[in-house]
Amino acid sequence: MVKKPLRKIYIVLLYVFLYAPIVVLIIFSFNNSKLRGNWDGFTFKWYFQLFKDRYILKSLYYTITIAILSSIISTVIGTISALGIYNMKSIKKKIILNINYLPVLNPDIVTGIALMTLFIFFKMKLGFMTMLLAHITFNIPYVILAVLPKLKQLPKDILEAALDLGATPVLAFKKVILPEIMPGVITGALIAFTLSIDDFVISFFTTGSGVTNLSITIYSMARRGINPKINALSSLMFLSVLVLLVLINKRTSNKREDVFINEKN
Amino acid sequence: MKKYVVLPYIFWSVLFIVVPLILVLVFSITIKTNGNLVLSLDNFKRFLEPVYIKVLVRSLTLALISTIICLILGYPAALILSKEVTNKRNILILLFIIPMWMNFLLRTYAWMTILGKNGLINNFLSWIGLPTMNLLYNNGAVILGMVYNFLPFMVLPIYTVLSKMDKSVIEAAKDLGANKLKVFLKIIFPLSLPGVTAGITMVFMPAVSTFVISRLLGGGQYMLIGNLIEQQFLFVGDWNFGSALSIIMMIMILISMALMSKYDRKDGGQGLW
Amino acid sequence: MNDTIIKLKNISKSFNKSKVLNNIDLEIKKNEFLTLLGPSGCGKTTTLRIIGGFEKPTKGEILFEDEIINDIPPYKRQINTVFQNYALFPHMNIFENIAFGLKVKKIESEEIKKRVQRILKLVNLKGYDKRTIDSLSGGQQQRVAIARALVNEPKVLLLDEPLGALDLKLRKEMQTELKNMQKKVGITFIYVTHDQEEALTMSDSVIVIDSGVIQQMGTPVDIYNEPKNRFVANFIGQSNIVEGIMIRDFLVEFSKLRFKCVDKGFDFNEKVDVVIRPEDIEVVSNDDGMLTGKVKSVIFKGVHYEMIVSQGGKDWIIHSTKKPKGCTIGMKIRPEDIHVMRKER
């Protein structure tokens, strides 16, 4: 319908829109001035200072620890639960799946305040533990949603075939089912990890006692003006994600679409 | 044995999904009088006061405008991407996803650097001798933030549907004499509706519930319903009213999703509805 | 002490209150090729899955070498299965697939290699051990599935419509091959199919099942020639079934005529069904025929002509190598080709 060059220009403009803030962030991580918007010469100093800032490093530590722990725990629980859900009868299955959808469909703020209410109701001290529990809770549904389609794609009777050949149910799961659903499990773990590392809203409501992740740190800094050290840190993180992504993409070049579709549907 | 492996998760989801929501519901229909909880609908009545209705209307309007802009910007993008050859479009789609890997707050914050009083745009304007503009802390900035953050959520589902579309259907339409516009209006667009509805839901939902974007780009006076909830829980300490607001928001979103899925028969029965 | 290997006693099975199997009683002999034959949904696959251990019967007992195995899980049974869609493990190559059962049993790797090579030879897939599953054709996958089961040296091999996904020519080849394999390894094959021709060509004995009930057991010849009831007659081959009256032993009346036959033991004037196979009706000239019919259509089928002939308000299917002359023909039936069946209630 529309001429080819026009399409190209449109797409390029869209990418400019998407990447402009990121480019700005990265550029300003090398800015000598602390003020945003004013370019005052090139420097690496924020990168050096970053590794001396205990506050930022601590929130980085919490971010990564919680992301790793919550993605591992939710992947294990989610995978096993998906297996159970897959084998359930239709009505019970529907109920469980719909409950499972709740954290996905609910706005983060509702999930966040609901969990906060729960923790306070049970007199739990808000902090690392509550934040971890919250992350596991909102991660599991995504793992289940990533693993279930892979279970449905299993060749018919494959579990029976393994049992038939003498494998116990546990062995059959390890040797036959797990290798087959592995792409889904990895997808689920990746989604869980990225959701956890990027989460702000739910963490914001479920943490306390000085335990903050990067998002919360950034939020609390944002109005005063974010220290360029944060820019430096995010540039580094962005870069490592990019490198990781390129590596993963080289290995499984066509899985990427699935990752996203599973993530939001 | 297989049936029992789901038990831990049932326990987990009841404890961490169902019970918290019930607590919120209980809080929303009670008020504290003299330290006692009393059943009451006052929280909901209070919401009907003009101040709060205004907040609701603002939230809905801004979210709706952003959703429409995302659709207008996103649909052509998805269409163009879906027509590329497989290798190239995988890379292009990846380029759409990559920005989401950077912290969402930082990306939003970056717009402050661009739009701010001493931001890049205004610096540029004054450099070429034009007067500076107030770009930050207004509705426009909030909408920009929403569109920026949620545009990929619109493009990706539409792209997915379009790229999986059976090409022979389009060829059949052409064969039957439809011109390019007709093919688009009568075939491609109707068939892509599931993606459109998914995209609308995925943009509208976070847009209507956000409190970060409005806080950062909208300035204090631009309060959305998300900000109101945050305020009730963290500053005012009126959990009952905050819970009522959350319930209202949940219902609003569930209704809009139900409406969307009505237009999306193919997807029906998959989710909650 | 006897040659029975599997015995089903009064097996019933219900899914969600709907009865799939109803009082199945069955004895399966060592080294026989037994086929469970019936239309889809008749319960034949459920019977097989109960023997394999994938379903538990709601009622009744399964005996394997005189021991009740109702509660023995599939992985402890000396029975292996070839699944309908093969159920090969996609992430393993051919060797790993076939070796799976042996590895699980912790057999030493040199022995495994030897056995896998031997079995690959048996199924004509020598040299394929490193290939992946999806590089094989349907027929080859089929052989891998058979090899994977047989390599465990089961006492009984269950086959659930294993040839269903193959094209006609390949299916015929595999039928012969399967039969030869069974003779070579000398174990019991229990074969499930809905294809009556397959059942008749391969089996030592056939069990016809419908609606969860055994309709008839016997050798293929028995079942073809002496169907016990209307269902079996209809299901096995094409048949003409007419209502008749058994006048007395060896004399039956149908189409308003009395015929000599070889059946006896009915009540006087008992209402019966009479089955006559299409190829058992001889086409003769009008004057020589016992019955005269009007030819409605003739189709050339290669080996024979298939014609529909209308006689006495009924359409008959007749197979004849001769093309009928004229539009009416005479029909001649020999007494031994008239099969009389009791009516079902």
Side-chain angles (χ1 to χ4, degrees):
Chain A
M1 270 158 280
V2 185
K3 293 233 162 54
K4 249 221 153 129
L6 228 60
R7 291 191 204 166
K8 226 172 220 163
I9 291 168
Y10 181 73
I11 290 292
V12 168
L13 279 178
L14 220 52
Y15 282 123
V16 168
F17 174 59
L18 285 175
Y19 281 88
I22 293 171
V23 172
V24 167
L25 268 181
I26 294 174
I27 289 174
F28 275 80
S29 72
F30 299 107
N31 185 9
N32 204 9
S33 160
K34 213 178 165 177
L35 293 169
R36 57 174 194 241
N38 280 13
W39 180 257
D40 194 24
F42 185 89
T43 178
F44 271 119
K45 71 175 175 198
W46 306 117
Y47 285 86
F48 295 116
Q49 286 185 21
L50 167 69
F51 291 101
K52 289 183 204 136
D53 189 321
R54 294 194 55 186
Y55 182 56
I56 294 177
L57 288 182
K58 214 170 99 187
S59 50
L60 176 68
Y61 163 78
Y62 283 130
T63 308
I64 290 175
T65 315
I66 288 197
I68 290 174
L69 284 178
S70 73
S71 55
I72 290 174
I73 297 170
S74 55
T75 303
V76 171
I77 300 180
T79 304
I80 294 171
S81 312
L83 198 70
I85 291 170
Y86 176 67
N87 285 309
M88 274 165 100
K89 294 267 153 56
S90 57
I91 298 167
K92 272 195 221 154
K93 192 173 177 172
K94 241 185 194 149
I95 295 172
I96 274 279
L97 275 180
N98 278 338
I99 291 177
N100 189 49
Y101 271 116
L102 276 174
V104 181
L105 299 180
N106 250 343
D108 282 353
I109 190 169
V110 174
T111 309
I113 58 124
L115 281 167
M116 177 180 92
T117 312
L118 176 88
F119 293 141
I120 291 178
F121 189 81
F122 283 115
K123 307 229 154 50
M124 284 178 79
K125 201 166 157 249
L126 292 182
F128 185 83
M129 201 57 206
T130 49
M131 191 159 133
L132 179 63
L133 285 173
H135 279 230
I136 296 170
T137 303
F138 74 72
N139 276 338
I140 294 176
Y142 289 96
V143 176
I144 292 179
L145 290 178
V147 174
L148 267 183
K150 287 283 170 252
L151 283 170
K152 281 183 196 146
Q153 283 167 18
L154 279 182
K156 216 175 147 247
D157 294 327
I158 197 168
L159 177 66
E160 265 106 339
L163 299 179
D164 185 82
L165 296 168
T168 57
V170 175
L171 196 66
F173 176 74
K174 246 173 46 188
K175 295 274 176 191
V176 175
I177 305 290
L178 198 58
E180 284 299 315
I181 61 171
M182 212 48 186
V185 175
I186 289 173
T187 305
L190 268 166
I191 293 171
F193 187 80
T194 45
L195 283 178
S196 172
I197 222 165
D198 210 36
D199 177 70
F200 164 68
V201 177
I202 295 172
S203 313
F204 184 60
F205 286 105
T206 51
T207 190
S209 357
V211 178
T212 61
N213 64 8
L214 276 176
S215 298
I216 297 172
T217 307
I218 294 166
Y219 184 71
S220 59
M221 283 180 168
R223 292 310 293 268
R224 294 181 270 128
I226 285 178
N227 192 301
K229 281 183 265 183
I230 292 279
N231 286 23
L233 177 63
S234 352
S235 304
L236 287 179
M237 284 175 74
F238 188 67
L239 198 73
S240 42
V241 165
L242 219 57
V243 169
L244 206 74
L245 214 69
V246 170
L247 288 179
I248 294 172
N249 204 46
K250 271 213 170 123
R251 244 163 43 98
T252 55
S253 54
N254 46 9
K255 292 269 159 63
R256 198 107 308 264
E257 273 176 62
D258 292 358
V259 172
F260 193 82
I261 292 149
N262 288 334
E263 180 171 343
K264 278 297 164 181
N265 281 350
Chain B
M1 180 209 118
K2 281 183 281 180
K3 284 176 205 149
Y4 304 119
V5 297
V6 78
L7 283 181
Y9 182 60
I10 292 181
F11 175 74
W12 184 286
S13 56
V14 168
L15 183 61
F16 289 109
I17 299 174
V18 180
V19 171
L21 288 175
I22 291 174
L23 280 176
V24 170
L25 186 70
V26 169
F27 269 111
S28 75
I29 52 170
T30 51
I31 49 167
K32 238 185 215 151
T33 38
N34 308 326
N36 291 323
L37 283 180
V38 186
L39 217 63
S40 153
L41 286 176
D42 281 3
N43 299 312
F44 291 97
K45 272 187 212 144
R46 191 171 148 206
F47 181 73
L48 296 176
E49 286 170 23
V51 207
Y52 301 119
I53 289 293
K54 233 169 143 182
V55 171
L56 177 72
V57 170
R58 190 186 299 130
S59 301
L60 288 175
T61 322
L62 292 184
L64 207 63
I65 293 172
S66 325
T67 311
I68 292 169
I69 294 177
C70 280
L71 184 60
I72 293 171
L73 287 179
Y75 198 101
L79 196 62
I80 294 169
L81 290 182
S82 73
K83 284 184 175 161
E84 291 290 345
V85 287
T86 317
N87 266 343
K88 201 173 163 195
R89 73 182 186 198
N90 280 345
I91 292 169
L92 288 173
I93 276 297
L94 192 61
L95 282 175
F96 249 93
I97 299 172
I98 286 173
M100 298 200 292
W101 288 62
M102 186 153 215
N103 190 294
F104 147 74
L105 283 137
L106 269 174
R107 276 182 290 140
T108 311
Y109 171 74
W111 280 107
M112 295 171 79
T113 319
I114 298 173
L115 301 175
K117 213 172 178 183
N118 296 312
L120 293 178
I121 292 181
N122 277 329
N123 278 353
F124 178 72
L125 286 177
S126 56
W127 184 65
I128 59 170
L130 288 172
T132 58
M133 295 191 287
N134 263 334
L135 297 169
L136 206 54
Y137 307 131
N138 55 34
N139 282 345
V142 176
I143 291 173
L144 176 85
M146 288 176 175
V147 170
Y148 176 74
N149 276 304
F150 307 134
L151 183 62
F153 296 153
M154 183 66 85
V155 174
L156 291 167
I158 298 176
Y159 161 79
T160 308
V161 175
L162 285 176
S163 60
K164 282 184 182 160
M165 197 176 283
D166 187 356
K167 298 281 180 294
S168 58
V169 178
I170 296 162
E171 280 159 12
K174 283 182 185 159
D175 181 70
L176 295 169
N179 61 23
K180 280 187 172 179
L181 185 69
K182 270 260 162 61
V183 169
F184 177 75
L185 289 178
K186 297 280 174 189
I187 311 288
I188 298 177
F189 188 71
L191 282 177
S192 68
L193 274 181
V196 173
T197 50
I200 291 175
T201 325
M202 277 159 60
V203 171
F204 183 77
M205 211 181 71
V208 84
S209 65
T210 185
F211 68 94
V212 179
I213 295 172
S214 49
R215 169 59 73 90
L216 295 185
L217 300 178
Q221 74 274 34
Y222 282 96
M223 236 205 305
L224 302 186
I225 187 163
N227 301 82
L228 205 56
I229 295 175
E230 180 205 2
Q231 206 184 44
Q232 296 307 315
F233 275 93
L234 296 185
F235 304 112
V236 181
D238 190 346
W239 286 26
N240 306 88
F241 186 49
S243 298
L245 290 171
S246 309
I247 295 285
I248 289 166
M249 184 145 95
M250 254 181 90
I251 291 170
M252 231 161 56
I253 279 167
L254 292 183
I255 287 175
S256 56
M257 274 193 327
L259 283 176
M260 283 328 288
S261 64
K262 262 204 172 163
Y263 291 101
D264 185 15
R265 271 153 275 150
K266 271 187 196 158
D267 237 24
Q270 210 178 30
L272 253 182
W273 305 98
Chain C
M1 87 200 164
N2 58 29
D3 60 351
T4 301
I5 185 154
I6 290 176
K7 207 171 184 177
L8 303 189
K9 274 189 183 168
N10 271 322
I11 294 284
S12 292
K13 174 77 187 172
S14 308
F15 291 111
N16 296 327
K17 286 176 192 160
S18 73
K19 219 161 195 181
V20 182
L21 290 181
N22 201 351
N23 284 327
I24 298 279
D25 262 308
L26 190 57
E27 269 187 41
I28 299 161
K29 294 197 184 68
K30 274 180 192 152
N31 307 342
E32 81 171 330
F33 196 120
L34 176 102
T35 299
L36 303 174
L37 175 66
S40 58
C42 72
K44 55 189 191 307
T45 297
T46 308
T47 311
L48 200 73
R49 288 174 66 85
I50 286 175
I51 298 172
F54 307 117
E55 306 282 357
K56 279 191 181 169
T58 318
K59 216 186 73 193
E61 285 173 351
I62 327 157
L63 285 86
F64 184 84
E65 295 183 325
D66 296 322
E67 270 174 60
I68 296 176
I69 55 163
N70 281 33
D71 294 323
I72 306 281
Y75 48 93
K76 288 184 183 154
R77 297 189 184 192
Q78 284 175 298
I79 298 173
N80 286 116
T81 309
V82 177
F83 291 87
Q84 192 169 7
N85 299 304
Y86 320 141
L88 297 175
F89 308 132
H91 61 289
M92 301 181 189
N93 65 21
I94 308 300
F95 179 89
E96 290 163 335
N97 258 283
I98 298 176
F100 184 87
L102 302 174
K103 276 186 191 157
V104 164
K105 288 184 199 92
K106 303 230 157 65
I107 288 169
E108 162 201 12
S109 72
E110 279 309 305
E111 174 71 13
I112 292 180
K113 272 184 203 154
K114 251 198 279 171
R115 284 219 229 165
V116 172
Q117 292 309 334
R118 208 188 307 145
I119 209 81
L120 276 171
K121 207 170 149 198
L122 179 80
V123 296
N124 281 326
L125 283 178
K126 227 180 149 191
Y128 278 71
D129 35 351
K130 291 285 180 295
R131 295 275 289 268
T132 58
I133 298 300
D134 44 13
S135 71
L136 298 190
S137 69
Q140 289 168 330
Q141 292 189 10
Q142 172 66 71
R143 287 161 206 263
V144 175
I146 294 168
R148 187 178 67 174
L150 281 180
V151 79
N152 302 290
E153 294 168 4
K155 291 190 173 162
V156 175
L157 185 70
L158 309 179
L159 303 104
D160 185 5
E161 305 223 14
L163 308 183
L166 305 181
D167 62 50
L168 187 67
K169 191 166 166 281
L170 207 54
R171 200 151 72 210
K172 298 267 184 213
E173 280 171 31
M174 282 304 293
Q175 284 174 11
T176 336
E177 224 172 289
L178 266 177
K179 183 72 195 165
N180 289 339
M181 255 183 239
Q182 189 253 341
K183 276 184 197 149
K184 223 184 263 175
V185 293
I187 59 167
T188 309
F189 275 33
I190 305 177
Y191 191 94
V192 160
T193 183
H194 64 266
D195 181 336
Q196 42 107 2
E197 195 204 315
E198 208 168 275
L200 297 182
T201 40
M202 299 166 79
S203 325
D204 297 322
S205 49
V206 176
I207 293 173
V208 185
I209 302 179
D210 183 47
S211 322
V213 178
I214 294 182
Q215 304 291 332
Q216 187 169 5
M217 309 187 216
T219 65
V221 176
D222 284 348
I223 293 210
Y224 189 81
N225 285 340
E226 291 297 330
K228 253 191 187 160
N229 56 35
R230 199 174 248 267
F231 174 80
V232 178
N234 255 330
F235 196 73
I236 310 276
Q238 277 179 304
S239 292
N240 295 292
I241 303 176
V242 287
E243 289 187 353
I245 296 163
M246 200 67 185
I247 304 299
R248 55 180 152 80
D249 283 357
F250 311 121
L251 191 66
V252 62
E253 181 187 306
F254 59 89
S255 296
K256 294 179 183 145
L257 262 179
R258 293 189 177 187
F259 293 84
K260 270 190 207 154
C261 65
V262 293
D263 299 271
K264 56 175 181 167
F266 293 84
D267 293 340
F268 286 116
N269 292 328
E270 184 181 336
K271 284 196 172 165
V272 291
D273 282 328
V274 178
V275 177
I276 300 155
R277 297 284 178 193
E279 67 274 20
D280 290 341
I281 301 173
E282 202 185 331
V283 177
V284 291
S285 68
N286 288 351
D287 304 335
D288 294 344
M290 300 162 158
L291 298 162
T292 322
K294 219 175 118 198
V295 179
K296 285 170 87 178
S297 72
V298 182
I299 301 164
F300 180 59
K301 287 269 185 173
V303 192
H304 56 77
Y305 292 92
E306 180 178 294
M307 50 199 119
I308 312 278
V309 176
S310 150
Q311 186 279 324
K314 196 198 156 358
D315 284 347
W316 297 71
I317 301 171
I318 300 174
H319 292 169
S320 165
T321 48
K322 284 177 284 183
K323 199 174 179 187
K325 302 176 199 103
C327 52
T328 55
I329 53 156
M331 294 152 63
K332 203 169 153 188
I333 308 156
R334 294 186 304 165
E336 59 267 38
D337 292 330
I338 295 173
H339 309 294
V340 181
M341 306 179 307
R342 284 210 161 77
K343 269 197 174 293
E344 288 132 87
R345 271 141 285 171

